[in-house]
Amino acid sequence: MTARVAILGCGYVGLELGRQLRADHDVVGVRRSDPGVAAIEDAGFEAVQADVTDADALSAVPDVDWVVFAASSGGRGAEAAREVYVDGLRTAIDHFWDRGDAPERLVYTSSTGVYGDHDGDWVDETTTLDPQTEKTRVLAEAEHIARERPVEYGGHGTVARFAGLYGPDRYRLERYLECPVTAGYLNMVHRDDAAGAVRFLLEEDHREDVVLVVDDEPVEKWAFADWLAEQCDVPFPPKQTKAERLADSDLSSTATRRIQTSKRCSNDLLRSLGYEFAYPTFREGYRDAIREFTAH
């Protein structure tokens, strides 16, 4: 089946998703900025310039079968996050599903930040959410809208809950090789698998309410940093306990909560649905970055 797909907020993951879908589907990416539109065109599929919070602007997007809402608040605060994730998502759903040719389904990309702290224990799709910051509370509210609002129109919404994204332009090698590394767990997913999982959920018509998108192996930050240093043939980086890091008087409240938050995210559901990872762990995912680093 050739589907018509709109990727709203077609940024880091959205561009890769469009690249993966464009051979078999009619894809349009939506960004609000001129550089964003140019990036979509460079990726090889149709671009529309529009703000997801502006229903009139969204009228320029053609009718579609699938909507992927992957917009970002650009690292700004909770107020900006609410404008994009809650108001923008509600506006987009109402706009597309009010059309005569309404979409069949929505995939909304969220974050494992909604889990809060679980003291290093495992979490999955059945785990009760406990968002610790205003921004993650906004994300949890948006998840509810994504699951419930399309149903009111006869559609369906799925939440793809991403772990920490990495990949081209986001390997952050210097952060782990040169800076003090604070204890805790890393839950990661390569950009290509984040996009690949959304593509898989759409094309295979999996309609779970929530799917956790994370690779096979959560890893302790100290162990990851030492492995990375060993692969790059540089000294092991300095380490900090959580208590040592929290003693820094310049930490923001958001940074403090992030340091205090610890969990390991399970991908058992995504695996059981049949998704095959291109980069099952950080070892495969960092291969290109290490090769480039050691070539210099």
Side-chain angles (χ1 to χ4, degrees):
M1 166 189 168
T2 297
R4 302 164 298 168
V5 192
I7 305 171
L8 308 183
C10 191
Y12 189 60
V13 174
L15 288 168
E16 175 59 24
L17 175 61
R19 285 188 286 263
Q20 293 187 20
L21 289 172
R22 67 187 180 188
D24 301 310
H25 306 283
D26 297 327
V27 185
V28 56
V30 179
R31 293 279 289 274
R32 61 185 175 184
S33 69
D34 291 338
V37 167
I40 295 169
E41 292 171 341
D42 288 345
F45 52 100
E46 182 181 352
V48 170
Q49 188 163 8
D51 190 317
V52 296
T53 64
D54 185 343
D56 290 338
L58 289 174
S59 297
V61 182
D63 290 341
V64 293
D65 303 302
W66 304 333
V67 174
V68 177
F69 192 96
S72 167
S73 61
R76 296 174 290 165
E79 185 175 342
R82 175 168 293 280
E83 180 181 357
V84 173
Y85 299 124
V86 173
D87 300 338
L89 178 60
R90 188 182 288 118
T91 296
I93 293 171
D94 290 348
H95 172 81
F96 282 99
W97 267 267
D98 270 340
R99 294 183 176 189
D101 188 4
E104 300 169 6
R105 60 180 311 194
L106 165 81
V107 172
Y108 167 69
T109 63
S110 186
S111 163
T112 56
V114 296
Y115 285 113
D117 180 36
H118 287 268
D119 197 28
D121 285 344
W122 287 92
V123 300
D124 62 17
E125 292 81 359
T126 67
T127 304
T128 301
L129 303 188
D130 184 23
Q132 303 282 308
T133 68
E134 183 58 34
K135 186 169 183 178
T136 53
R137 285 190 284 272
V138 167
L139 290 175
E141 182 179 349
E143 286 194 5
H144 178 77
I145 294 169
R147 294 194 312 270
E148 300 297 330
R149 203 166 186 88
V151 174
E152 298 173 12
Y153 292 94
H156 184 272
T158 294
V159 172
R161 196 175 283 156
F162 290 163
L165 294 166
Y166 74 100
D169 300 320
R170 291 198 187 184
Y171 287 110
R172 305 180 181 94
L173 287 186
E174 292 78 10
R175 169 184 171 186
Y176 294 108
L177 295 177
E178 299 174 6
C179 301
V181 179
T182 305
Y185 280 103
L186 283 171
N187 297 275
M188 297 186 286
V189 63
H190 192 282
R191 178 204 64 186
D192 294 6
D193 279 313
V198 174
R199 174 186 53 78
F200 172 79
L201 293 171
L202 290 169
E203 291 185 332
E204 301 300 322
D205 200 27
H206 291 296
R207 299 195 173 221
E208 280 68 21
D209 287 343
V210 180
V211 177
L212 192 49
V213 181
V214 61
D215 70 17
D216 290 348
E217 190 175 336
V219 60
E220 291 182 338
K221 294 177 184 177
W222 288 1
F224 171 71
D226 284 351
W227 174 84
L228 199 58
E230 188 173 46
Q231 297 299 307
C232 292
D233 196 24
V234 299
F236 289 160
K239 312 295 195 304
Q240 286 182 323
T241 65
K242 289 188 178 184
E244 289 170 336
R245 184 72 179 99
L246 291 169
D248 184 346
S249 60
D250 293 331
L251 280 179
S252 67
S253 58
T254 299
T256 297
R257 290 191 185 95
R258 187 181 300 117
I259 292 164
Q260 292 171 331
T261 298
S262 180
K263 59 187 176 290
R264 285 175 286 173
C265 299
S266 167
N267 67 7
D268 285 354
L269 174 58
L270 182 58
R271 279 291 197 183
S272 72
L273 294 175
Y275 181 70
E276 295 292 334
F277 281 81
Y279 303 99
T281 76
F282 59 89
R283 296 176 189 84
E284 296 83 10
Y286 270 83
R287 187 183 301 126
D288 289 344
I290 292 166
R291 185 181 298 115
E292 182 178 350
F293 182 91
T294 55
H296 291 121

